Amino acid sequence: MPTDLQKPLCFFFQFSDDVLNKEGVASALQSFETAIMLIAYERWPSIVPLIWGACEALLRVKYPNSDEKIHIIQEKFKLEKNISSALNNNAHKLRQLRNDIAHKGYIPRDTQKCIELFFNAGIPYLDCLLEDVTGLKLFEALYPQSEGEIWSVFKDTRKVITRKINKSDDKIEKGLLFLILKIRNKFSPTYISEALWDMQSFYEEELWISEMRFKNKLINCIEKKQNDYCFELSDIRCPICGSDVLASFLWKGKGENWQFDSLNSVGCYKCVYLIEDKDLIEIFFHNRLTKELISELESDNPPLAKTVCV
C-alpha cells in the first residue's frame, strides 16, 4: 500500500518516506514520470526540459550546499563518480539543448536530437544520479507491476533507437512506435459509466466485429503487398496488447527447398499497425523466434492466417 508521500507517484513505490522527504527527490521522480507520459504524444519540447530537470534536481540533492553553476557541479560529479567522458559530454549537450529550447524555441528538426539525447544522456545520467542519491538504480526503483506494462517495451525501444543512431538513420522517431502505443494504452481512459454496463456485451460484440474486419484487411494487405502468404504467429505476441501477430517472411532457396530467412513485415489487428521497419522487427519480434516455430513455418502445415466471416 503506497504511503501518502508515494501516492503522487505513478511508477516509483520502492523509496522510503525518508528518501522522498529529501528536498528535490520527489520532484525529480515526478519530472521523469511526466516525461515518459509525454512520449505518447511526442511532446519533445517538454520532454527534454523535464528529463534534464530531473537530473538537475538530483545534482542539487547530491550537492545541497553548493552555490556553483550547474555545469561546474556536473564536472564535480563526473570526477567523484568516475562518469565516462562520453556520458558526461552527452549530459552537457542535454543541458544545452534544454537551454536552447527554453530560450530560443523548438523547431521540428530538433526532434532527432531530442530523442538521441533523451536515450543516450537523460536516461543513463539519471540512472547514475538516482543510484548515488537513493541507492537504487532507475529500473530497480520502478514499481514491479509496471515492468511488464511499460519498461520491457522501453528497454527494447532503447535498443532500437541505439541501433538507428549507430546507422545514422535520419528517421529514428520510427523506432518509438511501440513505446508510444504502450504508454497511450497504459494511460488512456478506461472508465465506463453505470448507464453503459447493460450495453457492454453489445459493445464487445461490435468491437470484435471491427477487429475481425481489420484482421481480414490486414491479411489481404500483407498477402498483396508481399506477394506471399500471411502467417499468424501464436508464439510471438504483440508488445502492446499481447495478441497473436500477423506476419510475412523472406525465404531463401527455390522450389520445395525454401527455408526461412527473416521476418519481413508484422502487424496487429487489435492495435491497428503494420510495420516493415527492420530495426523494430529485429528487436521486438525476430529475436523471439524459436527453432520450433521456424520448423513449423518450413513444414507442410504452416500456421497460415485465415480471414474471418463477419
Side-chain angles (χ1 to χ4, degrees), residues 66-109:
S66 176
D67 294 328
E68 296 170 308
K69 292 186 176 180
I70 196 63
H71 67 276
I72 297 175
I73 295 178
Q74 282 183 262
E75 291 303 310
K76 184 183 294 186
F77 183 65
K78 173 185 182 292
L79 293 174
E80 183 178 327
K81 294 300 176 183
N82 197 27
I83 303 297
S84 72
S85 295
L87 177 55
N88 189 58
N89 290 339
N90 279 336
H92 280 296
K93 290 178 182 177
L94 178 66
R95 174 180 51 80
Q96 187 58 56
L97 179 60
R98 175 267 168 203
N99 291 342
D100 289 344
I101 290 173
H103 301 298
K104 299 178 183 179
Y106 169 91
I107 55 177
R109 70 166 177 249

Short mmCIF file of all heavy atoms in Angstrom, two decimals, residues 66-109:
data_model
loop_
_atom_site.label_atom_id
_atom_site.label_comp_id
_atom_site.label_asym_id
_atom_site.label_seq_id
_atom_site.Cartn_x
_atom_site.Cartn_y
_atom_site.Cartn_z
N SER A 66 26.13 23.63 -2.39
CA SER A 66 26.92 24.24 -3.45
C SER A 66 26.16 25.38 -4.11
O SER A 66 25.01 25.23 -4.49
CB SER A 66 27.30 23.19 -4.50
OG SER A 66 27.98 23.79 -5.57
N ASP A 67 26.84 26.51 -4.24
CA ASP A 67 26.28 27.66 -4.96
C ASP A 67 26.84 27.76 -6.38
O ASP A 67 26.57 28.74 -7.08
CB ASP A 67 26.60 28.97 -4.20
CG ASP A 67 25.90 29.02 -2.84
OD1 ASP A 67 24.80 28.47 -2.72
OD2 ASP A 67 26.49 29.59 -1.90
N GLU A 68 27.59 26.74 -6.79
CA GLU A 68 28.22 26.77 -8.11
C GLU A 68 27.18 26.55 -9.20
O GLU A 68 26.11 25.98 -8.97
CB GLU A 68 29.30 25.69 -8.19
CG GLU A 68 30.44 25.92 -7.22
CD GLU A 68 31.38 24.72 -7.16
OE1 GLU A 68 30.88 23.60 -6.95
OE2 GLU A 68 32.59 24.92 -7.33
N LYS A 69 27.52 27.00 -10.40
CA LYS A 69 26.63 26.78 -11.53
C LYS A 69 26.56 25.29 -11.86
O LYS A 69 27.49 24.54 -11.58
CB LYS A 69 27.10 27.59 -12.74
CG LYS A 69 26.96 29.10 -12.52
CD LYS A 69 27.28 29.87 -13.78
CE LYS A 69 27.02 31.36 -13.57
NZ LYS A 69 27.32 32.16 -14.79
N ILE A 70 25.47 24.93 -12.49
CA ILE A 70 25.18 23.50 -12.64
C ILE A 70 26.22 22.79 -13.50
O ILE A 70 26.55 21.62 -13.26
CB ILE A 70 23.75 23.30 -13.22
CG1 ILE A 70 23.29 21.85 -13.00
CG2 ILE A 70 23.68 23.70 -14.66
CD1 ILE A 70 23.15 21.45 -11.56
N HIS A 71 26.80 23.45 -14.51
CA HIS A 71 27.78 22.78 -15.34
C HIS A 71 29.06 22.47 -14.57
O HIS A 71 29.75 21.49 -14.85
CB HIS A 71 28.09 23.59 -16.61
CG HIS A 71 28.80 24.87 -16.35
ND1 HIS A 71 28.14 26.03 -16.01
CD2 HIS A 71 30.14 25.18 -16.40
CE1 HIS A 71 29.01 27.00 -15.86
NE2 HIS A 71 30.23 26.52 -16.08
N ILE A 72 29.35 23.28 -13.57
CA ILE A 72 30.51 23.01 -12.71
C ILE A 72 30.21 21.84 -11.78
O ILE A 72 31.07 20.98 -11.54
CB ILE A 72 30.88 24.27 -11.90
CG1 ILE A 72 31.30 25.40 -12.86
CG2 ILE A 72 31.99 23.97 -10.89
CD1 ILE A 72 31.57 26.72 -12.18
N ILE A 73 28.98 21.78 -11.29
CA ILE A 73 28.57 20.65 -10.44
C ILE A 73 28.60 19.36 -11.24
O ILE A 73 28.98 18.30 -10.72
CB ILE A 73 27.17 20.91 -9.85
CG1 ILE A 73 27.20 22.11 -8.90
CG2 ILE A 73 26.64 19.67 -9.12
CD1 ILE A 73 25.86 22.48 -8.32
N GLN A 74 28.24 19.43 -12.51
CA GLN A 74 28.32 18.24 -13.37
C GLN A 74 29.75 17.70 -13.42
O GLN A 74 29.96 16.49 -13.35
CB GLN A 74 27.85 18.59 -14.79
CG GLN A 74 26.35 18.66 -14.96
CD GLN A 74 25.97 18.93 -16.40
OE1 GLN A 74 25.70 20.07 -16.79
NE2 GLN A 74 25.97 17.89 -17.21
N GLU A 75 30.71 18.60 -13.57
CA GLU A 75 32.12 18.17 -13.63
C GLU A 75 32.57 17.58 -12.30
O GLU A 75 33.34 16.61 -12.26
CB GLU A 75 33.00 19.34 -14.03
CG GLU A 75 32.81 19.80 -15.47
CD GLU A 75 33.05 18.66 -16.45
OE1 GLU A 75 34.09 17.98 -16.36
OE2 GLU A 75 32.17 18.45 -17.32
N LYS A 76 32.08 18.15 -11.23
CA LYS A 76 32.41 17.62 -9.90
C LYS A 76 31.86 16.20 -9.75
O LYS A 76 32.55 15.30 -9.24
CB LYS A 76 31.82 18.54 -8.81
CG LYS A 76 32.18 18.13 -7.39
CD LYS A 76 31.50 19.04 -6.36
CE LYS A 76 32.04 20.45 -6.45
NZ LYS A 76 31.49 21.30 -5.35
N PHE A 77 30.64 15.99 -10.19
CA PHE A 77 30.02 14.66 -10.12
C PHE A 77 30.78 13.66 -11.00
O PHE A 77 30.98 12.51 -10.63
CB PHE A 77 28.56 14.75 -10.55
CG PHE A 77 27.80 13.45 -10.46
CD1 PHE A 77 27.58 12.84 -9.22
CD2 PHE A 77 27.30 12.83 -11.61
CE1 PHE A 77 26.87 11.64 -9.14
CE2 PHE A 77 26.59 11.64 -11.52
CZ PHE A 77 26.39 11.04 -10.28
N LYS A 78 31.21 14.11 -12.18
CA LYS A 78 31.98 13.25 -13.09
C LYS A 78 33.24 12.74 -12.42
O LYS A 78 33.57 11.54 -12.47
CB LYS A 78 32.34 14.01 -14.36
CG LYS A 78 33.28 13.25 -15.31
CD LYS A 78 33.69 14.12 -16.49
CE LYS A 78 34.59 13.33 -17.45
NZ LYS A 78 35.91 13.02 -16.87
N LEU A 79 33.98 13.64 -11.80
CA LEU A 79 35.24 13.26 -11.17
C LEU A 79 35.02 12.37 -9.95
O LEU A 79 35.74 11.40 -9.73
CB LEU A 79 36.02 14.52 -10.77
CG LEU A 79 36.53 15.38 -11.93
CD1 LEU A 79 37.14 16.67 -11.40
CD2 LEU A 79 37.53 14.62 -12.78
N GLU A 80 34.01 12.69 -9.16
CA GLU A 80 33.76 11.94 -7.92
C GLU A 80 33.27 10.53 -8.21
O GLU A 80 33.65 9.58 -7.51
CB GLU A 80 32.73 12.68 -7.08
CG GLU A 80 32.46 12.03 -5.73
CD GLU A 80 31.46 12.81 -4.90
OE1 GLU A 80 31.44 14.06 -5.01
OE2 GLU A 80 30.70 12.18 -4.14
N LYS A 81 32.44 10.37 -9.23
CA LYS A 81 31.82 9.07 -9.51
C LYS A 81 32.41 8.39 -10.75
O LYS A 81 31.91 7.34 -11.18
CB LYS A 81 30.30 9.23 -9.68
CG LYS A 81 29.62 9.66 -8.39
CD LYS A 81 29.83 8.64 -7.29
CE LYS A 81 29.26 9.08 -5.97
NZ LYS A 81 29.55 8.10 -4.89
N ASN A 82 33.47 8.97 -11.29
CA ASN A 82 34.14 8.38 -12.45
C ASN A 82 33.17 8.13 -13.61
O ASN A 82 33.17 7.07 -14.24
CB ASN A 82 34.84 7.07 -12.05
CG ASN A 82 35.87 6.62 -13.07
OD1 ASN A 82 36.44 7.45 -13.79
ND2 ASN A 82 36.11 5.33 -13.16
N ILE A 83 32.33 9.13 -13.88
CA ILE A 83 31.40 9.06 -15.01
C ILE A 83 32.19 9.10 -16.30
O ILE A 83 33.16 9.86 -16.44
CB ILE A 83 30.40 10.24 -14.96
CG1 ILE A 83 29.64 10.27 -13.63
CG2 ILE A 83 29.44 10.18 -16.14
CD1 ILE A 83 28.79 9.08 -13.38
N SER A 84 31.82 8.30 -17.27
CA SER A 84 32.55 8.27 -18.54
C SER A 84 32.48 9.62 -19.23
O SER A 84 31.49 10.36 -19.10
CB SER A 84 31.98 7.18 -19.46
OG SER A 84 30.72 7.56 -19.96
N SER A 85 33.53 9.95 -19.97
CA SER A 85 33.56 11.23 -20.69
C SER A 85 32.43 11.31 -21.70
O SER A 85 31.82 12.37 -21.89
CB SER A 85 34.91 11.39 -21.40
OG SER A 85 35.96 11.49 -20.46
N ALA A 86 32.12 10.18 -22.35
CA ALA A 86 31.04 10.17 -23.35
C ALA A 86 29.70 10.53 -22.71
O ALA A 86 28.96 11.38 -23.23
CB ALA A 86 30.95 8.80 -24.02
N LEU A 87 29.38 9.90 -21.57
CA LEU A 87 28.11 10.19 -20.90
C LEU A 87 28.10 11.62 -20.37
O LEU A 87 27.10 12.33 -20.48
CB LEU A 87 27.86 9.20 -19.77
CG LEU A 87 26.59 9.43 -18.93
CD1 LEU A 87 25.36 9.48 -19.83
CD2 LEU A 87 26.44 8.34 -17.87
N ASN A 88 29.22 12.05 -19.79
CA ASN A 88 29.29 13.41 -19.25
C ASN A 88 29.11 14.45 -20.36
O ASN A 88 28.38 15.44 -20.19
CB ASN A 88 30.63 13.62 -18.56
CG ASN A 88 30.68 14.91 -17.78
OD1 ASN A 88 29.87 15.15 -16.89
ND2 ASN A 88 31.64 15.76 -18.12
N ASN A 89 29.74 14.23 -21.50
CA ASN A 89 29.59 15.15 -22.63
C ASN A 89 28.16 15.18 -23.14
O ASN A 89 27.61 16.24 -23.46
CB ASN A 89 30.54 14.76 -23.76
CG ASN A 89 31.99 15.01 -23.41
OD1 ASN A 89 32.30 15.80 -22.53
ND2 ASN A 89 32.89 14.32 -24.11
N ASN A 90 27.52 14.01 -23.20
CA ASN A 90 26.13 13.96 -23.64
C ASN A 90 25.21 14.66 -22.65
O ASN A 90 24.21 15.29 -23.04
CB ASN A 90 25.69 12.50 -23.83
CG ASN A 90 26.13 11.92 -25.16
OD1 ASN A 90 26.37 12.65 -26.11
ND2 ASN A 90 26.26 10.61 -25.22
N ALA A 91 25.52 14.55 -21.36
CA ALA A 91 24.72 15.25 -20.34
C ALA A 91 24.84 16.76 -20.50
O ALA A 91 23.85 17.49 -20.33
CB ALA A 91 25.17 14.82 -18.95
N HIS A 92 26.04 17.24 -20.83
CA HIS A 92 26.21 18.68 -21.10
C HIS A 92 25.40 19.09 -22.34
O HIS A 92 24.78 20.15 -22.36
CB HIS A 92 27.68 19.01 -21.32
CG HIS A 92 28.47 19.15 -20.05
ND1 HIS A 92 28.22 20.15 -19.12
CD2 HIS A 92 29.51 18.43 -19.55
CE1 HIS A 92 29.07 20.04 -18.11
NE2 HIS A 92 29.85 19.00 -18.34
N LYS A 93 25.40 18.23 -23.36
CA LYS A 93 24.62 18.52 -24.57
C LYS A 93 23.12 18.56 -24.26
O LYS A 93 22.38 19.38 -24.81
CB LYS A 93 24.90 17.47 -25.64
CG LYS A 93 26.30 17.54 -26.24
CD LYS A 93 26.51 16.42 -27.25
CE LYS A 93 27.92 16.43 -27.83
NZ LYS A 93 28.13 15.30 -28.77
N LEU A 94 22.68 17.65 -23.39
CA LEU A 94 21.26 17.64 -23.00
C LEU A 94 20.90 18.93 -22.28
O LEU A 94 19.85 19.53 -22.55
CB LEU A 94 20.99 16.43 -22.09
CG LEU A 94 19.56 16.30 -21.56
CD1 LEU A 94 18.58 16.03 -22.70
CD2 LEU A 94 19.47 15.18 -20.52
N ARG A 95 21.76 19.36 -21.37
CA ARG A 95 21.51 20.62 -20.64
C ARG A 95 21.47 21.80 -21.61
O ARG A 95 20.58 22.67 -21.51
CB ARG A 95 22.61 20.84 -19.60
CG ARG A 95 22.54 22.20 -18.88
CD ARG A 95 23.65 22.35 -17.85
NE ARG A 95 24.95 22.07 -18.41
CZ ARG A 95 25.64 22.93 -19.15
NH1 ARG A 95 25.13 24.12 -19.45
NH2 ARG A 95 26.84 22.59 -19.63
N GLN A 96 22.40 21.83 -22.56
CA GLN A 96 22.43 22.93 -23.53
C GLN A 96 21.21 22.90 -24.43
O GLN A 96 20.65 23.95 -24.77
CB GLN A 96 23.71 22.84 -24.38
CG GLN A 96 23.91 24.03 -25.31
CD GLN A 96 23.96 25.35 -24.56
OE1 GLN A 96 24.78 25.53 -23.66
NE2 GLN A 96 23.07 26.28 -24.91
N LEU A 97 20.77 21.70 -24.82
CA LEU A 97 19.56 21.59 -25.64
C LEU A 97 18.35 22.10 -24.88
O LEU A 97 17.51 22.79 -25.44
CB LEU A 97 19.35 20.13 -26.06
CG LEU A 97 18.09 19.85 -26.91
CD1 LEU A 97 18.12 20.64 -28.22
CD2 LEU A 97 17.97 18.36 -27.20
N ARG A 98 18.30 21.77 -23.61
CA ARG A 98 17.20 22.27 -22.77
C ARG A 98 17.21 23.80 -22.75
O ARG A 98 16.16 24.46 -22.87
CB ARG A 98 17.33 21.72 -21.35
CG ARG A 98 16.30 22.27 -20.36
CD ARG A 98 16.85 23.48 -19.62
NE ARG A 98 15.81 24.18 -18.89
CZ ARG A 98 15.89 25.45 -18.53
NH1 ARG A 98 16.94 26.17 -18.86
NH2 ARG A 98 14.90 26.01 -17.87
N ASN A 99 18.41 24.40 -22.62
CA ASN A 99 18.52 25.86 -22.60
C ASN A 99 18.11 26.46 -23.94
O ASN A 99 17.43 27.50 -23.98
CB ASN A 99 19.95 26.27 -22.26
CG ASN A 99 20.33 25.94 -20.83
OD1 ASN A 99 19.46 25.71 -19.99
ND2 ASN A 99 21.62 25.90 -20.54
N ASP A 100 18.51 25.81 -25.02
CA ASP A 100 18.15 26.31 -26.35
C ASP A 100 16.64 26.30 -26.55
O ASP A 100 16.06 27.25 -27.09
CB ASP A 100 18.83 25.47 -27.44
CG ASP A 100 20.33 25.70 -27.50
OD1 ASP A 100 20.81 26.70 -26.93
OD2 ASP A 100 21.03 24.86 -28.10
N ILE A 101 16.00 25.20 -26.12
CA ILE A 101 14.55 25.10 -26.27
C ILE A 101 13.85 26.16 -25.42
O ILE A 101 12.89 26.80 -25.86
CB ILE A 101 14.06 23.68 -25.87
CG1 ILE A 101 14.51 22.66 -26.92
CG2 ILE A 101 12.54 23.65 -25.73
CD1 ILE A 101 14.23 21.23 -26.55
N ALA A 102 14.36 26.37 -24.21
CA ALA A 102 13.73 27.33 -23.29
C ALA A 102 13.89 28.76 -23.77
O ALA A 102 12.96 29.57 -23.63
CB ALA A 102 14.33 27.17 -21.89
N HIS A 103 15.04 29.09 -24.34
CA HIS A 103 15.34 30.49 -24.66
C HIS A 103 15.20 30.84 -26.13
O HIS A 103 14.94 32.00 -26.47
CB HIS A 103 16.76 30.84 -24.18
CG HIS A 103 16.96 30.64 -22.71
ND1 HIS A 103 16.24 31.34 -21.75
CD2 HIS A 103 17.78 29.80 -22.02
CE1 HIS A 103 16.62 30.94 -20.54
NE2 HIS A 103 17.54 30.00 -20.68
N LYS A 104 15.37 29.85 -27.01
CA LYS A 104 15.30 30.13 -28.44
C LYS A 104 14.08 29.50 -29.11
O LYS A 104 13.71 29.90 -30.21
CB LYS A 104 16.57 29.61 -29.14
CG LYS A 104 17.86 30.27 -28.65
CD LYS A 104 19.07 29.67 -29.36
CE LYS A 104 20.37 30.27 -28.84
NZ LYS A 104 21.55 29.66 -29.50
N GLY A 105 13.51 28.51 -28.46
CA GLY A 105 12.36 27.83 -29.04
C GLY A 105 12.74 26.51 -29.68
O GLY A 105 13.90 26.14 -29.77
N TYR A 106 11.71 25.81 -30.17
CA TYR A 106 11.87 24.45 -30.71
C TYR A 106 11.37 24.43 -32.15
O TYR A 106 10.36 25.06 -32.47
CB TYR A 106 11.05 23.48 -29.86
CG TYR A 106 10.88 22.09 -30.42
CD1 TYR A 106 11.78 21.08 -30.12
CD2 TYR A 106 9.79 21.79 -31.25
CE1 TYR A 106 11.61 19.79 -30.62
CE2 TYR A 106 9.62 20.51 -31.75
CZ TYR A 106 10.53 19.51 -31.44
OH TYR A 106 10.36 18.25 -31.93
N ILE A 107 12.07 23.73 -33.01
CA ILE A 107 11.60 23.51 -34.37
C ILE A 107 11.58 21.99 -34.62
O ILE A 107 12.33 21.25 -33.99
CB ILE A 107 12.50 24.22 -35.42
CG1 ILE A 107 13.97 23.80 -35.25
CG2 ILE A 107 12.35 25.72 -35.32
CD1 ILE A 107 14.88 24.42 -36.29
N PRO A 108 10.72 21.53 -35.53
CA PRO A 108 10.57 20.07 -35.72
C PRO A 108 11.86 19.32 -36.00
O PRO A 108 11.99 18.16 -35.61
CB PRO A 108 9.60 20.00 -36.91
CG PRO A 108 8.78 21.24 -36.81
CD PRO A 108 9.72 22.29 -36.31
N ARG A 109 12.82 19.96 -36.67
CA ARG A 109 14.04 19.21 -36.97
C ARG A 109 14.89 18.95 -35.72
O ARG A 109 15.87 18.22 -35.79
CB ARG A 109 14.86 19.93 -38.04
CG ARG A 109 15.52 21.23 -37.63
CD ARG A 109 16.56 21.63 -38.69
NE ARG A 109 17.16 22.92 -38.36
CZ ARG A 109 16.97 24.03 -39.05
NH1 ARG A 109 16.17 24.02 -40.09
NH2 ARG A 109 17.56 25.15 -38.70
#
